[in-house]
Structures are given as C-alpha cells and as structure tokens.
Amino acid sequence: ETGVTQTPRHLVMGMTNKKSLKCEQHLGHNAMYWYKQSAKKPLELMFVYSLEERVENNSVPSRFSPECPNSSHLFLHLHTLQPEDSALYLCASSHPTANYGYTFGSGTRLTVV
Amino acid sequence: GENVEQHPSTLSVQEGDSAVIKCTYSDSASNYFPWYKQELGKGPQLIIDIRSNVGEKKDQRIAVTLNKTAKHFSLHITETQPEDSAVYFCAAANSGGYQKVTFGIGTKLQVIP
C-alpha cells in the first residue's frame, strides 16, 4: 500500500451508465491529481486540486466530472462514456509547494462497453 | 508547455548488466526531475529524483544524471536483477505552486535471468 487508495480496482460500465471512482489519502498531502494512462501514450493529466480548489482542467470532456470534498478525498464522476475512455485511471497526491514527487494509487482499470 | 521525450521504449538486458534510460525536456523552467517505476497491476512509484541544482544523485544501484545545458537527464541501473523488470517513467516539473508534472512515454525494461 502506498498510502493512496483507489476504489474500485476494476470497473466495467456501459456507455449509458453513471459511475464514480474514489481516491483517498491520509498522507497529509493537500494536492490531488487524476491521470489517465492509456497504452503507448504518456500519462495524461486530467485534473488537479490544490487545497481543495480545482486549479487545472486539461481540456477534459464534460463526461468526466471531478469532485474534491476535502483534502483527503477525490472523486471522478463518469457518465455517458465512450469506448475510447477505457484506460487505467490513476490518482496521485503530493505536497503542493515542494517537489517531493507524487504518491500514486494502484489505479482503476476502466472498461467501457 | 513542457515536452518530455524518453528512449528507448523497450530495453532488454541480461541479469547483472547495466541499463540506461535517457530523457530530454524542452522547458528550461523545469527544475525537478523524478523517475517512477511501474510494476504490473500497480501505480507508478517514485524511485529517485534530482533537482536542477545537482548534476548527479545515487541511491544504491540506481543513479540519475542531469545536464541542464543540454536539457538531458538519464537513469542508470547497475547490476540489474529480475525484480528490476518494470516500466520506468521519467518526468519534468516546475516547482512553482502545485506540481505540474509532464511524463515521458515510458521504457519497458526486461531483465533476463
């Protein structure tokens, strides 16, 4: 365990479903991130929350909706996804003002059918 | 924005040999360079990092070098072992505010026993 916990580990959903991914950390970090990992592509930054405020939204389609209710929890709400959204979704956390690297969770493997 | 190039994309070495992975970055403002190792079914894990005021850093069998003038940095693994087999990612970041990290595409390292 890295200290960043993601649930569920695997998710299969239809294109008309609504689901949510959850991320939780108790490392005292106050920046949290969602990344998308697809085969043969660099990790793609989706969203950044620093001190519970969204500070980055990298042109992510509106079918992905993040939520950060407090500094320990991060959600990614999914609705009307496309098959090309199938990927590994990684959550990470860090100190926002010092470069000590990210701590990643193990990810949620999402398959859209 | 920042662009990080990483090569090779795959690397096979005999157990006990050395492995070298090279990266270049484009943004001269980047000042923090972490390396991550991702094993199957897990999220990336920080293994070593280097800051722009340092040219080399070593931690047991792994070392990183940084050439700021040429915007190159490299990961060196000596005396490779089968458990070193994984995907390795280089990254570049700017320490201003929250961390905005740009990742390379990854190198799949296979250590052959």
Side-chain angles (χ1 to χ4, degrees):
Chain A
E1 281 298 328
T2 64
V4 177
T5 303
Q6 289 188 245
T7 54
R9 290 295 308 273
H10 301 273
L11 178 62
V12 178
M13 60 185 287
M15 288 189 283
T16 57
N17 291 158
K18 289 185 181 181
K19 295 286 184 184
S20 296
L21 310 184
K22 180 182 175 182
C23 177
E24 185 174 353
Q25 60 89 11
H26 296 286
L27 300 169
H29 293 169
N30 44 16
M32 296 186 78
Y33 312 78
W34 280 116
Y35 274 87
K36 177 183 179 182
Q37 187 174 35
S38 306
K40 300 184 181 179
K41 287 187 177 181
L43 284 159
E44 299 173 53
L45 178 64
M46 299 176 72
F47 301 104
V48 181
Y49 277 83
S50 178
L51 301 171
E52 299 162 41
E53 282 194 37
R54 190 193 309 182
V55 294
E56 190 94 12
N57 176 348
N58 273 7
S59 304
V60 179
S62 59
R63 56 186 185 269
F64 295 91
S65 175
E67 179 190 2
C68 187
N70 55 60
S71 60
S72 298
H73 294 86
L74 184 65
F75 295 89
L76 188 62
H77 304 299
L78 316 171
H79 65 98
T80 57
L81 294 191
Q82 305 298 310
E84 59 264 29
D85 297 322
S86 298
L88 181 68
Y89 289 84
L90 290 162
C91 172
S93 68
S94 75
H95 292 284
T97 57
N99 283 324
Y100 295 112
Y102 288 165
T103 301
F104 280 95
S106 294
T108 294
R109 173 68 62 187
L110 174 66
T111 304
V112 181
V113 297
Chain B
E2 175 65 277
N3 182 49
V4 176
E5 303 276 346
Q6 180 174 351
H7 59 94
S9 56
T10 60
L11 179 60
S12 290
V13 299
Q14 290 293 133
E15 182 178 356
D17 287 351
S18 294
V20 180
I21 302 169
K22 298 183 178 182
C23 292
T24 61
Y25 63 99
S26 61
D27 188 351
S28 56
S30 291
N31 55 11
Y32 174 65
F33 305 92
W35 286 86
Y36 291 84
K37 175 184 180 183
Q38 186 174 23
E39 297 174 324
L40 201 62
K42 297 184 179 180
Q45 181 182 6
L46 179 70
I47 56 170
I48 195 167
D49 55 16
I50 191 167
R51 288 168 176 78
S52 58
N53 58 346
V54 175
E56 185 173 357
K57 182 176 179 180
K58 192 173 181 180
D59 182 3
Q60 299 183 350
R61 296 186 297 107
I62 58 174
V64 290
T65 58
L66 172 64
N67 182 329
K68 278 211 73 177
T69 304
K71 297 195 185 74
H72 289 172
F73 57 116
S74 300
L75 176 72
H76 304 252
I77 307 174
T78 58
E79 300 171 25
T80 54
Q81 300 169 4
E83 53 265 36
D84 294 329
S85 296
V87 179
Y88 291 81
F89 295 94
C90 63
N94 187 320
S95 62
Y98 65 90
Q99 286 191 46
K100 186 171 180 180
V101 180
T102 302
F103 287 87
I105 200 165
T107 296
K108 185 174 182 179
L109 173 64
Q110 182 184 21
V111 179
I112 303 165

